[in-house]
Amino acid sequence: MWKNMAVIRWLVVALMVVFCVDEVRSDHKYKPGDQVPLYANKVAHLKEKPEALGEVLNGDRLVSAPYKLDFMAEKDSEKICRKTLTKDEVSIFRKAVAKDYYFQMYYDDLPFWGFLGKIEKDKTDPNEEKYYLFKHLHFEIHYNNDRVIEINAKADPNAVVDITEDKEVEVEFMYTVRWKETNVPYETRMEKYAQSSSQPHHLEIHWFSIINSCVTVLLLTGFLATILMRVLKNDFVKYAHDEEAADDQEETGWKYIHGDVFRYPKYKSLFAAALGSGSQLFALALFIFILALVGVFYPYNRGALFTAMVVIYALTSGIAGYTAASFYHQLEGTNWVRNLLLTGCLFCGPLFLTFCFLNTVAIAYTATAALPFGTIVVIVLIWTLVTSPLLVLGGIAGKNSKAEFQAPVRTTKYPREIPVLPWYRKTIPQMAMAGFLPFSAIYIELYYIFASVWGHRIYTIYSILFIVFIILLIVTAFITVALTYFQLAAEDHEWWWRSFLCGGSTGVFIFGYCLYYYYERSDMSGFMQTSFFFGYMACICYGFFLMLGMVLVLLLVPNAKGKGASRTEITCLDWDIKLSP
């Protein structure tokens, strides 16, 4: 049965990939005079183009543009329409020009952009500014035999209309089309869109970020190796020479609480659910990286990333169910149905509530970011027919798994009292220390990601991003292992939740960077933009919190050797340090 399920999963993923690149699979061949599709983004009250799920989630609303750019048909000063702009429309256009608004269109699946107008100093009064609206566009299209290779749109700087004052203005919009032959092959026509993020000066910054991160990893490795070996050296010598003499000596530090280290954590159902949700998000990240590295998300493949995220998240819900239920079973939990419900809602619940609020805001602002009712129904059906059944199947498999939690040392009946700890050993300071170094290893790359998601840059160097992701995992693992050891050395045996919080604390730092980016690097303003930015970024940072916390807890879970081992056969977490001879 599970083999068949695996085959079905990969078939669905393959179909998803095909649907993500629906327009690329056609041959895009035209004859002279054939109509080539031209769409404008986020323009209302025109003939709409049928859109894929990812395009709708991305906020794209493509409609047929009024320009007629037939294949190899040149036009000179062709009129589109004549319109009288009202005072309110003039004011709206002037604000758009002042904020550098631009239009976005797609011609034969090739994106291009153009500004709406320009601002110039008044010739009579240099302190005043004049606002002009472009009314004549020049399209320059390159072709190779029967295929479109490149398109550029430039506005005629002399064909403008003054919109400085709030008064009615009559405008006649026109356009010109010129065709040029090129030798650039069709297969490489998308490469120019990737050049903006792979230019030499940008690559230098990316590689500097990676080198900086690698240095951090080396320093942490040396720090851990030096400190831990020095601390444990005496223990190795003592236990290796005379175990009985070691038993007679008074134990201190982490050896003193060996009977409490593997005591089950509080709120074990929530803990197992957090591990399950984190494992699903980790699997989602890996699959997204695989698709990115094989070239599925080429520049401006509209909606492919969002479609992939929805489909893969639905298909990986079985991983969440299996991880949560199996771990809950090992912790001797009994109410596994409630545990599965908690697992399914731990991440989707906050995300759903956030979506409901933000979609209501978008509807109130009549923005295209508001999802249509049909799209919402599709997402609900995916969650009902795919996500939930796979979550239950994974939970059943995890519940029936034979794995048992076999701690390498017996747990005492009553927990020892935790001594009073200094302030810097409390949870919040430890989280701050655990999250700072991993964040410092990735913060340079964060700017490019934010500029791509919330700005107008293009991010295509997925290989570098994957390297940074691996470095993030390594740095987070090293610092959290060290802090967990120091916590046990201070005779604080409640390490389960502390390690999860320390591992996921990088997500808190990323949200702190969101505040900096919003106020210092972006031009976003208004209630809608603010709510969308912080609402969805809070969900993303929460996902990072769950994912990194899960990775670190599973790393720290002991590699059990068997039940009822003597107290000198302590496996120090995942380091597998065996103290008996």
Side-chain angles (χ1 to χ4, degrees):
M1 181 184 70
W2 291 108
K3 291 183 177 180
N4 294 334
M5 289 296 296
V7 173
I8 294 175
R9 286 191 181 187
W10 283 111
L11 285 176
V12 175
V13 172
L15 290 174
M16 178 272 297
V17 173
V18 173
F19 286 128
C20 286
V21 292
D22 55 339
E23 293 194 23
V24 180
R25 60 182 178 178
S26 63
D27 56 12
H28 291 257
K29 294 183 178 180
Y30 303 97
K31 298 178 181 178
D34 285 353
Q35 182 178 357
V36 183
L38 174 64
Y39 298 106
N41 198 2
K42 297 183 179 179
V43 179
H45 308 301
L46 291 173
K47 180 183 177 181
E48 294 189 359
K49 168 190 174 294
E51 294 168 325
L53 175 62
E55 293 177 298
V56 179
L57 295 176
N58 193 36
D60 289 336
R61 301 295 184 269
L62 301 184
V63 296
S64 296
Y67 303 98
K68 302 299 180 183
L69 309 183
D70 297 335
F71 190 72
M72 296 186 64
E74 294 196 349
K75 296 182 180 181
D76 189 13
S77 299
E78 185 80 9
K79 294 181 181 179
I80 302 177
C81 67
R82 183 186 297 270
K83 181 174 177 58
T84 300
L85 302 179
T86 64
K87 294 181 180 180
D88 293 337
E89 291 173 338
V90 169
S91 177
I92 293 174
F93 272 116
R94 185 170 62 250
K95 292 179 181 178
V97 172
K99 294 183 178 181
D100 289 331
Y101 275 52
Y102 61 90
F103 63 82
Q104 181 183 35
M105 296 186 186
Y106 293 90
Y107 183 69
D108 192 41
D109 208 25
L110 292 172
F112 65 96
W113 306 263
F115 287 99
L116 300 180
K118 63 178 181 177
I119 304 176
E120 291 183 351
K121 296 290 185 180
D122 193 339
K123 296 180 180 179
T124 59
D125 188 357
N127 295 326
E128 297 292 332
E129 293 180 333
K130 304 285 287 185
Y131 295 84
Y132 297 100
L133 178 67
F134 295 135
K135 61 178 183 180
H136 193 162
L137 283 180
H138 291 262
F139 295 97
E140 184 178 279
I141 308 173
H142 298 255
Y143 69 97
N144 187 347
N145 294 326
D146 54 357
R147 288 178 166 180
V148 176
I149 303 300
E150 183 180 351
I151 181 171
N152 297 298
K154 298 180 180 179
D156 187 347
N158 299 319
V160 295
V161 58
D162 192 344
I163 55 173
T164 306
E165 299 179 1
D166 289 336
K167 62 180 182 180
E168 290 188 356
V169 177
E170 186 173 345
V171 186
E172 185 178 64
F173 293 98
M174 298 179 294
Y175 68 102
T176 298
V177 184
R178 293 289 183 264
W179 289 81
K180 293 185 178 180
E181 190 172 6
T182 180
N183 294 324
V184 177
Y186 171 81
E187 291 73 18
T188 62
R189 67 173 189 165
M190 283 289 181
E191 289 184 356
K192 77 164 191 174
Y193 300 105
Q195 293 175 356
S196 61
S197 61
S198 60
Q199 292 176 352
H201 64 282
H202 286 300
L203 285 176
E204 290 178 4
I205 297 175
H206 289 295
W207 283 113
F208 172 78
S209 173
I210 291 179
I211 294 174
N212 171 65
S213 303
C214 290
V215 171
T216 304
V217 171
L218 293 177
L219 290 176
L220 278 176
T221 305
F223 170 77
L224 285 177
T226 303
I227 297 297
L228 294 181
M229 290 303 101
R230 285 197 174 201
V231 170
L232 298 175
K233 182 179 180 180
N234 294 332
D235 295 329
F236 295 155
V237 175
K238 178 177 63 176
Y239 283 102
H241 285 81
D242 190 353
E243 182 177 347
E244 293 183 359
D247 291 342
D248 295 336
Q249 296 181 10
E250 183 180 357
E251 295 181 340
T252 58
W254 61 271
K255 300 181 293 299
Y256 182 71
I257 59 171
H258 66 270
D260 298 286
V261 170
F262 301 112
R263 192 178 304 279
Y264 295 156
K266 298 178 181 178
Y267 312 109
K268 55 187 177 183
S269 180
L270 177 61
F271 192 81
L275 295 183
S277 298
S279 64
Q280 181 181 8
L281 294 172
F282 183 71
L284 171 65
L286 289 181
F287 279 113
I288 290 296
F289 273 119
I290 292 173
L291 293 178
L293 293 175
V294 299
V296 172
F297 308 132
Y298 69 88
Y300 294 100
N301 184 5
R302 299 184 303 273
L305 177 60
F306 287 94
T307 303
M309 291 176 65
V310 171
V311 174
I312 295 177
Y313 183 82
L315 296 177
T316 54
S317 59
I319 298 176
Y322 180 85
T323 304
S326 61
F327 203 86
Y328 186 61
H329 175 67
Q330 292 182 49
L331 297 180
E332 299 180 1
T334 56
N335 197 344
W336 67 279
V337 176
R338 184 181 65 180
N339 177 252
L340 279 183
L341 291 175
L342 186 59
T343 304
C345 298
L346 194 60
F347 180 74
C348 287
L351 180 63
F352 176 74
L353 294 176
T354 303
F355 162 74
C356 291
F357 171 73
L358 296 180
N359 204 58
T360 303
V361 172
I363 293 174
Y365 278 82
T366 63
T368 56
L371 295 188
F373 178 75
T375 303
I376 297 176
V377 171
V378 170
I379 295 177
V380 171
L381 289 176
I382 292 176
W383 190 87
T384 304
L385 301 178
V386 180
T387 305
S388 297
L390 289 178
L391 179 69
V392 173
L393 289 176
I396 294 174
K399 172 182 173 293
N400 295 329
S401 63
K402 301 300 182 181
E404 296 181 359
F405 187 82
Q406 296 181 331
V409 63
R410 289 189 298 268
T411 301
T412 58
K413 186 175 182 180
Y414 300 103
R416 293 183 181 270
E417 183 179 356
I418 299 175
V420 179
L421 301 176
W423 66 270
Y424 56 85
R425 289 191 180 274
K426 300 296 179 65
T427 301
I428 300 300
Q430 294 284 295
M431 289 178 62
M433 287 187 284
F436 176 74
L437 282 177
F439 173 77
S440 66
I442 65 170
Y443 81 96
I444 295 178
E445 209 67 23
L446 280 180
Y447 168 74
Y448 291 95
I449 297 174
F450 274 58
S452 175
V453 175
W454 299 104
H456 312 305
R457 292 180 179 267
I458 310 170
Y459 195 95
T460 58
I461 316 178
Y462 299 110
S463 56
I464 290 182
L465 183 61
F466 182 68
I467 295 174
V468 172
F469 179 72
I470 297 300
I471 293 175
L472 169 65
L473 296 179
I474 296 174
V475 175
T476 308
F478 281 179
I479 190 64
T480 307
V481 167
L483 290 176
T484 302
Y485 174 79
F486 294 141
Q487 178 188 356
L488 296 178
E491 301 179 4
D492 181 2
H493 54 79
E494 295 181 349
W495 63 274
W496 296 86
W497 277 109
R498 178 75 66 84
S499 63
F500 187 92
L501 295 175
C502 288
S505 60
T506 306
V508 180
F509 276 83
I510 295 176
F511 189 77
Y513 181 82
C514 294
L515 297 172
Y516 166 77
Y517 181 84
Y518 179 83
Y519 290 106
E520 299 296 333
R521 293 297 186 94
S522 74
D523 295 326
M524 290 184 282
S525 60
F527 179 74
M528 179 177 171
Q529 288 184 327
T530 303
S531 59
F532 263 72
F533 178 80
F534 286 108
Y536 283 125
M537 285 311 304
C539 293
I540 293 175
C541 294
Y542 176 54
F544 263 91
F545 177 83
L546 293 174
M547 179 180 67
L548 294 177
M550 177 277 307
V551 172
L552 269 299
V553 170
L554 293 186
L555 175 67
L556 292 171
V557 168
N559 182 16
K561 301 297 182 184
K563 264 188 173 180
S566 65
R567 62 187 177 89
T568 57
E569 294 177 352
I570 301 173
T571 301
C572 184
L573 301 182
D574 200 45
W575 302 318
D576 204 16
I577 300 173
K578 200 169 185 179
L579 301 181
S580 61

